[in-house]
Amino acid sequence: MEMERAVQIFKSEDTYKVKLEGEPVWIEQIDPANGMATVQVGSRPTNTMTVSVERLEEGE
């Protein structure tokens, strides 16, 4: 995913499906300077990861 799109999704009031390696994730935080995003994996709030925005995919 492009950084610009990740920021749009993060700031949007709408809900978008985002996946990391096929798993649904929720974008918690964006770090544009470093190209990173902190995401919640699945439905467990404690299950977070910081990954390259390029690894994220917009789902269907």
Side-chain angles (χ1 to χ4, degrees):
M1 177 179 296
E2 298 285 329
M3 176 58 71
E4 183 177 325
R5 182 63 181 145
V7 171
Q8 287 173 349
I9 290 171
F10 178 67
K11 290 183 176 181
S12 177
E13 292 183 14
D14 295 327
T15 300
Y16 294 89
K17 292 183 179 181
V18 177
K19 294 185 178 185
L20 170 66
E21 299 172 355
E23 292 291 322
V25 297
W26 184 263
I27 300 174
E28 297 279 327
Q29 188 173 349
I30 296 281
D31 179 0
N34 293 307
M36 304 297 282
T38 300
V39 297
Q40 174 185 317
V41 182
S43 60
R44 294 174 48 203
T46 58
N47 190 8
T48 60
M49 300 174 63
T50 301
V51 298
S52 169
V53 168
E54 294 176 354
R55 293 179 59 193
L56 301 177
E57 299 175 356
E58 192 165 358
E60 298 174 7

